[in-house]
């Protein structure tokens, strides 16, 4: 399997599965109707070809069709561009009975037949790799419009770029053995990280797979997850902050919604959409400035709730579920773990607040400045040690002034954040 199948286990199943071998009788009927409509012809050898000249200048919607010399090896055609709808089977090949003798369907006809059996005479969106634009999609359009006798069979074609290993000019392919198995991929990354990796590039463009590009995707998801966790801590009163500029955040949220909509309406420009979301997260983080005390400060939980709701809904559209990520699944079997971490963090915060308490102001004439109680310094060190010891285990504690927040994350990510947090430690 190719790497781009790595997320198949989390993709919503199709509404219906259709096998070509179970629909050959429909394919034969489809071909017969194209012949009856005057757009295909048979040969004495048992071939059925689509008649390109019968549709005039309508052939050539995609690049490559104009200079096409047709499928190689066929000499009994009226036009070199004509393509096979039905081929006689060679010895030892599978075959099905048809009005033209024993044979098999051509390359393109099966797609048109099965798509038409489900969706009728019109498709809204047809997708596929850029290498299928011509001749496959070109021929699909020609035979489908000939069958349905319509002017436009598909409203939109989305041709996606190829996935490459970084430094390779060839696309990932099993035949070239330049691919990564699903099993190997999931040892290092999650399905949601792969989806973010794809979102960070335009679907029409080729995309290079590498550890650095996957690291960028992981960092983006981590930034979003951390913001949501911190915002939730603020909403619960666990994170004390300076006054929030609520009007500014409401304005940023409205701008983000507009920017994302415009980006997706512009040929599914997902990099621009993700950039807008990351900008919203940045401004949200700027407002979450922790303080030691916030007595009397008016809190603004509603705007953060709206931001979280929008971000989660958008990521859900993209197939990314932060609540059921690979990291969350790793701890889902421990139903009481979050409760234990909450109680532990609360106890640690109380000890740390006690240890960080300042001595009373010096008496008149004293040159000593008020500071920490020396005998309580070991408590601060013990709190820091506990935080650092838990990080490699996937429990990340962040000290925000006198208060602390926590989240359950990957050990590899925790070490990086632990090092950052240690720089601001007491």
């Amino acid at each position: 399997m190719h790497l781009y199948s790595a997320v198949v286990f989390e993709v919503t199943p199709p509404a219906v599965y259709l096998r070509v071998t179970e629909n050959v009788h429909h394919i034969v009927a489809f071909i017969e109707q194209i012949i009856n409509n005057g757009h295909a012809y048979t040969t004495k050898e048992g071939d059925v070809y689509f008649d390109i000249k019968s549709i005039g200048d309508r052939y050539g919607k995609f690049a490559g069709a104009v200079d096409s010399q047709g499928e190689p090896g066929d000499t009994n055609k009226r036009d070199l561009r004509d393509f096979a709808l039905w081929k006689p089977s060679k010895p030892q090949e599978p075959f099905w009975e048809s009005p033209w003798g024993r044979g098999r369907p051509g390359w393109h006809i099966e797609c048109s037949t099965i798509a038409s059996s489900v969706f009728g005479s019109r498709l809204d969106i047809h997708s596929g790799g850029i290498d299928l634009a011509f001749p496959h999609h070109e021929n699909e359009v020609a035979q489908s419009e000939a069958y349905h006798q319509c002017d436009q069979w598909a409203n939109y074609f989305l041709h996606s770029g190829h996935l490459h290993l970084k430094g390779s000019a060839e696309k990932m392919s099993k035949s070239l053995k330049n691919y990564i198995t699903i099993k190997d991929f999931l040892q290092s990354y999650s399905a949601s990280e792969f989806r973010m990796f794809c979102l960070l590039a335009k679907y029409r463009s080729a995309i290079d797979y590498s550890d650095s590009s996957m690291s960028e995707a992981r960092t983006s998801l981590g930034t979003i997850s951390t913001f949501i966790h911190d915002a939730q801590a603020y909403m619960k009163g666990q994170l004390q902050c300076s006054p929030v500029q609520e009007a500014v955040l409401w304005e940023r949220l409205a701008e983000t919604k507009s920017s994302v909509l415009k980006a997706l309406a512009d040929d599914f420009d997902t990099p621009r959409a993700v950039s807008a979301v990351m900008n919203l997260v940045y401004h949200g983080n700027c407002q979450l400035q922790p303080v030691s005390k916030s007595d009397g400060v008016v809190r603004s939980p509603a705007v953060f709730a709206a931001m979280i709701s929008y971000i989660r809904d958008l990521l859900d559209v993209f197939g990314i579920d932060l609540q059921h990520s690979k990291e969350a699944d790793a701890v889902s079997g421990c139903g009481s773990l979050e409760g234990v971490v909450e109680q532990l963090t609360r106890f640690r915060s109380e000890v740390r607040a006690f240890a960080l308490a300042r001595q009373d102001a010096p008496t008149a004439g004293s040159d000593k400045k008020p500071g920490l109680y020396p005998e309580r310094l070991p408590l601060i060190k013990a709190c820091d040690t506990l935080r650092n010891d838990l990080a490699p285990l996937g429990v990340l504690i962040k000290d925000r002034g006198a208060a602390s927040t926590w989240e359950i994350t990957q050990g590899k990510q925790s070490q990086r954040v632990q090092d950052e947090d240690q720089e601001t430690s007491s």
Side-chain angles (χ1 to χ4, degrees):
M1 285 189 178
H2 301 217
L3 175 58
Y4 42 77
S5 300
V7 296
V8 69
F9 63 93
E10 289 190 2
V11 173
T12 302
V16 60
Y17 289 88
L18 295 170
R19 297 179 180 275
V20 173
T21 53
E22 297 171 354
N23 287 273
V24 174
H25 60 294
H26 289 139
I27 294 174
V28 169
F30 200 94
I31 295 172
E32 288 182 303
Q33 186 61 49
I34 294 176
I35 295 174
N36 294 337
N37 290 344
H39 297 293
Y41 58 92
T42 62
T43 69
K44 61 182 180 180
E45 291 82 10
D47 299 278
V48 181
Y49 290 106
F50 186 87
D51 187 357
I52 294 293
K53 289 183 178 179
S54 71
I55 60 173
D57 59 0
R58 294 179 60 188
Y59 190 78
K61 297 178 184 294
F62 298 113
V66 176
D67 300 324
S68 170
Q69 299 300 312
E71 297 170 347
D74 296 319
T75 58
N76 52 352
K77 298 188 293 187
R78 296 176 183 175
D79 188 298
L80 288 176
R81 298 172 301 165
D82 294 349
F83 56 90
L85 302 179
W86 187 266
K87 297 286 292 182
S89 293
K90 298 176 182 178
Q92 310 303 319
E93 281 188 347
F95 65 84
W96 289 264
E97 300 292 345
S98 79
W100 319 288
R102 292 179 172 181
R104 56 177 176 80
W107 173 27
H108 319 288
I109 194 65
E110 59 196 41
C111 297
S112 294
T113 301
I114 292 179
S116 296
S117 71
V118 176
F119 299 107
S121 61
R122 179 66 61 86
L123 295 182
D124 190 16
I125 298 175
H126 191 313
S127 63
I130 188 63
D131 55 333
L132 296 178
F134 185 85
H136 184 53
H137 291 162
E138 184 73 52
N139 293 349
E140 264 194 276
V141 169
Q143 64 198 10
S144 297
E145 293 178 353
Y147 174 87
H148 294 293
Q149 300 190 79
C150 63
D151 293 329
Q152 183 166 296
W153 175 59
N155 293 336
Y156 303 97
F157 273 85
L158 302 184
H159 290 120
S160 56
H162 290 148
L163 183 63
H164 300 253
L165 281 174
K166 189 172 183 179
S168 173
E170 301 289 343
K171 69 175 183 178
M172 279 196 185
S173 171
K174 191 171 184 179
S175 61
L176 296 175
K177 298 182 178 180
N178 62 343
Y179 65 100
I180 299 172
T181 66
I182 295 172
K183 182 178 180 181
D184 289 344
F185 175 83
L186 293 178
Q187 292 294 318
S188 302
Y189 305 105
S190 69
S192 288
E193 288 168 343
F194 181 77
R195 285 192 174 102
M196 178 57 77
F197 161 73
C198 294
L199 292 172
L200 292 173
K202 294 202 70 172
Y203 79 91
R204 286 183 180 271
S205 305
I207 183 171
D208 287 336
Y209 172 84
S210 66
D211 286 337
S212 61
S213 57
M214 286 304 305
S215 178
E216 180 185 0
R218 171 174 284 173
T219 298
S220 297
L221 281 182
T223 299
I224 295 172
S225 296
T226 299
F227 165 70
I228 290 177
H229 187 273
D230 290 348
Q232 288 176 325
Y234 170 80
M235 291 162 58
K236 295 175 183 178
Q238 298 170 348
L239 179 60
Q240 305 301 317
C241 293
S242 53
V244 170
Q245 295 178 291
E246 186 173 354
V248 172
L249 289 183
W250 282 117
E251 183 179 352
R252 292 292 183 184
L253 178 57
E255 290 175 354
T256 300
K257 291 180 178 180
S258 176
S259 298
V260 168
L261 186 60
K262 289 179 181 178
L264 296 181
D266 183 13
D267 197 24
F268 292 100
D269 192 343
T270 56
R272 188 149 53 99
V274 171
S275 177
V277 172
M278 299 306 294
N279 189 53
L280 176 65
V281 168
Y282 167 76
H283 287 286
N285 281 329
C286 287
Q287 296 294 324
L288 292 175
Q289 297 298 323
V291 294
S292 299
K293 293 182 180 181
S294 59
D295 296 339
V297 173
V298 177
R299 300 178 63 256
S300 306
V303 66
F304 286 102
M307 292 168 69
I308 291 173
S309 177
Y310 173 71
I311 292 172
R312 279 182 169 164
D313 287 347
L314 182 62
L315 292 180
D316 184 63
V317 170
F318 292 142
I320 294 174
D321 187 350
L322 295 176
Q323 290 180 303
H324 296 89
S325 63
K326 185 177 181 183
E327 297 80 9
D329 291 341
V331 300
S332 61
C334 305
S336 61
L337 178 59
E338 291 192 358
V340 172
V341 174
E342 172 65 26
Q343 294 298 323
L344 176 64
T345 304
R346 185 176 302 174
F347 173 76
R348 177 183 175 275
S349 295
E350 292 178 359
V351 172
R352 189 167 176 273
F354 173 76
L356 290 173
R358 298 280 174 172
Q359 299 184 54
D360 295 334
T363 57
S366 173
D367 58 354
K368 292 185 178 180
K369 295 182 179 180
L372 301 178
Y373 291 96
E375 64 272 18
R376 300 181 187 180
L377 294 178
L379 292 176
I380 298 176
K381 183 176 180 181
C383 288
D384 289 346
T385 299
L386 176 61
R387 179 196 63 202
N388 297 340
D389 288 347
L390 288 177
L393 302 177
V395 177
L396 176 63
I397 296 177
K398 285 187 177 182
D399 294 323
R400 310 278 192 174
S404 300
T405 61
W406 61 269
E407 63 179 302
I408 298 175
T409 183
Q410 279 185 305
K412 289 184 289 185
Q413 290 178 310
S414 301
Q415 185 61 50
R416 175 180 59 82
V417 183
Q418 169 196 342
D419 294 340
E420 296 174 357
D421 202 41
Q422 200 165 14
E423 294 177 3
T424 60
S425 172
S426 56

